[in-house]
Amino acid sequence: MDNLTWQQMLRTSVRTSLFWQTEVDYNRYLDFFVNIACIAIYIFYVIKQYFLDPQTARKCVILHVFTLSCLAVLFTTFEITPPWQVFITLVGLSVTVIKTPRKRLPIKDKAILITGCDRGIGHVLAKQLDKTGFYVFAGCLDVRGDGSRDLTISCSAKLKTIQLDVSKMSQVESALQLVQQELTMKGIQLWGIVNNAGICYIGNVEMMTEADMQKIMAVNYMGPVHVCKSFLPLLRRSHGRLVNVASNAGLAPVPLMGVYCASKSALVTMSEVWRYEFKIWGIKVATIIPSGYKTGIMSYDMIATGDRWWSQASQAVKDDYGQECFYIKFKQKNRDRFLSAEFSDICQNIEDALLSPRPHSRYYSGFLAKSLPFVYLYLPTWLSDPLMNILANWFEFKPKMLNRGN
């Protein structure tokens, strides 16, 4: 009989309704058993997933059946040798693992503190966590502002807005007392803290005032430190979660955002330190790295800020830079078109960090979240410098002295 693969013989057997009759060929038997082993590995994963989290496994039954069917059809219809069989199985298994929702802890009687809920990520996250079923303490810079009022009107009675400027230790302590009272009254525990509050000013250290540089560090870095230091005893008792919202600017430099980069870099590093330190208490720490979202962090009055910086600048800085440099302009005229107002991806990552039994140490959201740090950290300088000039050179900036050719 001609040398046929077992797949060809199977098709011939089906067509002629005859039994497979051929001389023993151990290579064909090997192909057959590799096929069976690959499919068995996938079935084992599905069964394991079902016993670990039956509810999630039921939601993905269509995905499991579809992937398993594709593997079976590929292996029984086409002439695929063992190395490719293993590769295809791994690809199918990887797709299934990625697409399968991660197991989550129960939400009942869990409270979350979120800072920076006036707008942006914190505002949307507070609404989502309230809808999910958490008790939410939404810290707002202005508890009487529009953002706070919107949360009170649109959310359930489980959400409570609180006055919280994280740069002021007195407000952090007041928030702690209020949260403790609410937890005792409702008989619940503080499960998670989301340090989301942040500010940003665009300018270099020669132009920016000392007070504004200290303010950025006070909010973006010392703010999470203050909150963590005050609320950590509550997290120790619940063995809960700490989630810090940083930035890709904390992993890679962005010209004219040096102080902001420094503050977020400090937060990223402190998050990693906390992740190791808090393991003894059963507290898990995660860092969120977003990029390219319309959070409103750069919506401050740049003209008024530029005027204030110009009035306090030294004469040498005024002569070298010129007043025009103090009014920062974006290279992209319609930059909002490149920013996403949809925060669902970030909120989903934060939810996973709060509820997954094994949360990731870092969650990336947005194209530049991973690509910018990768280009800066892992590519050789001769390649990373021109790429960084494209990816991170966001502002028009030409000092007067350079225009004179000096």
Side-chain angles (χ1 to χ4, degrees), residues 9-21:
M9 287 187 288
L10 179 60
R11 291 197 294 272
T12 302
S13 176
V14 171
R15 287 197 298 269
T16 60
S17 299
L18 296 174
F19 291 101
W20 182 7
Q21 296 179 357

Side-chain angles (χ1 to χ4, degrees), residues 202-204 206-207 255-256 310 317-331 393-406:
I202 311 300
N204 64 33
E206 281 191 291
M207 298 159 49
L256 297 182
W310 176 258
V317 169
K318 289 180 178 180
D319 292 341
D320 291 347
Y321 286 94
Q323 191 168 0
E324 193 65 24
C325 278
F326 283 71
Y327 307 124
I328 303 298
K329 297 181 180 65
F330 291 87
K331 286 186 174 181
N393 194 5
W394 302 339
F395 311 102
E396 292 182 359
F397 193 73
K398 193 68 180 288
K400 184 172 65 174
M401 176 177 282
L402 297 180
N403 290 333
R404 293 198 301 261
N406 294 331

Side-chain angles (χ1 to χ4, degrees), residues 363-403:
Y363 292 82
Y364 298 87
S365 299
F367 171 71
L368 290 179
K370 268 189 175 180
S371 58
L372 194 65
F374 174 82
V375 167
Y376 173 69
L377 293 171
Y378 298 108
L379 295 184
T381 305
W382 62 266
L383 181 57
S384 66
D385 278 1
L387 288 176
M388 288 294 291
N389 191 50
I390 296 172
L391 296 175
N393 194 5
W394 302 339
F395 311 102
E396 292 182 359
F397 193 73
K398 193 68 180 288
K400 184 172 65 174
M401 176 177 282
L402 297 180
N403 290 333

Side-chain angles (χ1 to χ4, degrees), residues 76-340:
T76 58
T77 307
F78 300 96
E79 299 178 11
I80 302 175
T81 55
W84 285 106
Q85 292 163 346
V86 175
F87 174 75
I88 292 172
T89 302
L90 291 176
V91 170
L93 191 58
S94 299
V95 170
T96 306
V97 170
I98 292 171
K99 293 296 183 181
T100 301
R102 284 155 59 88
K103 182 180 179 181
R104 294 195 168 188
L105 300 172
I107 296 174
K108 184 181 178 182
D109 295 338
K110 285 183 170 64
I112 308 294
L113 170 69
I114 310 171
T115 67
C117 294
D118 301 80
R119 61 183 179 183
I121 297 171
H123 190 83
V124 175
L125 179 65
K127 288 184 176 181
Q128 180 167 319
L129 294 187
D130 172 73
K131 187 177 180 180
T132 304
F134 283 104
Y135 290 88
V136 178
F137 297 101
C140 296
L141 185 62
D142 182 6
V143 77
R144 298 177 182 176
D146 294 338
S148 178
R149 281 196 295 269
D150 179 59
L151 289 176
T152 302
I153 294 171
S154 60
C155 296
S156 73
K158 284 187 171 183
L159 183 143
K160 185 176 182 62
T161 60
I162 56 177
Q163 176 63 42
L164 182 54
D165 180 345
V166 296
S167 66
K168 297 179 179 177
M169 197 63 190
S170 59
Q171 291 197 17
V172 174
E173 291 295 337
S174 297
L176 174 61
Q177 293 178 11
L178 189 150
V179 168
Q180 286 177 321
Q181 292 172 4
E182 291 288 324
L183 295 176
T184 303
M185 187 169 58
K186 291 181 171 64
I188 58 177
Q189 286 186 315
L190 182 69
W191 172 254
I193 296 172
V194 181
N195 283 310
N196 166 73
I199 61 171
C200 178
Y201 293 130
I202 311 300
N204 64 33
V205 295
E206 281 191 291
M207 298 159 49
M208 197 178 299
T209 63
E210 186 74 20
D212 284 340
M213 288 191 285
Q214 290 180 357
K215 185 176 181 180
I216 292 174
M217 295 300 295
V219 174
N220 296 353
Y221 172 62
M222 289 307 300
V225 171
H226 290 159
V227 171
C228 182
K229 189 171 183 178
S230 296
F231 285 85
L232 189 58
L234 297 178
L235 284 191
R236 277 203 292 267
R237 281 149 184 78
S238 64
H239 307 292
R241 303 296 166 84
L242 175 64
V243 182
N244 296 312
V245 180
S247 169
N248 63 343
L251 301 174
V254 179
L256 297 182
M257 292 180 63
V259 182
Y260 178 79
C261 290
S263 67
K264 289 299 186 179
S265 180
L267 179 59
V268 169
T269 303
M270 184 57 83
S271 291
E272 286 298 294
V273 171
W274 283 337
R275 190 165 66 86
Y276 286 99
E277 287 181 349
F278 296 170
K279 284 182 180 180
I280 60 174
W281 302 110
I283 299 171
K284 292 182 171 60
V285 181
T287 306
I288 309 297
I289 311 290
S291 172
Y293 292 91
K294 197 181 297 183
T295 62
I297 197 170
M298 295 185 187
S299 298
Y300 65 93
D301 190 337
M302 293 187 176
I303 301 298
T305 302
D307 288 338
R308 182 161 48 82
W309 291 353
W310 176 258
S311 66
Q312 299 183 50
S314 68
Q315 191 58 47
V317 169
K318 289 180 178 180
D319 292 341
D320 291 347
Y321 286 94
Q323 191 168 0
E324 193 65 24
C325 278
F326 283 71
Y327 307 124
I328 303 298
K329 297 181 180 65
F330 291 87
K331 286 186 174 181
Q332 296 290 346
K333 302 303 180 183
N334 298 318
R335 67 183 183 91
D336 284 351
R337 289 191 309 155
F338 301 92
L339 301 177
S340 174

Side-chain angles (χ1 to χ4, degrees), residues 60-79:
C60 299
V61 65
I62 296 177
L63 176 64
H64 293 321
V65 171
F66 176 77
T67 307
L68 187 58
S69 300
C70 288
L71 292 176
V73 169
L74 282 171
F75 294 161
T76 58
T77 307
F78 300 96
E79 299 178 11

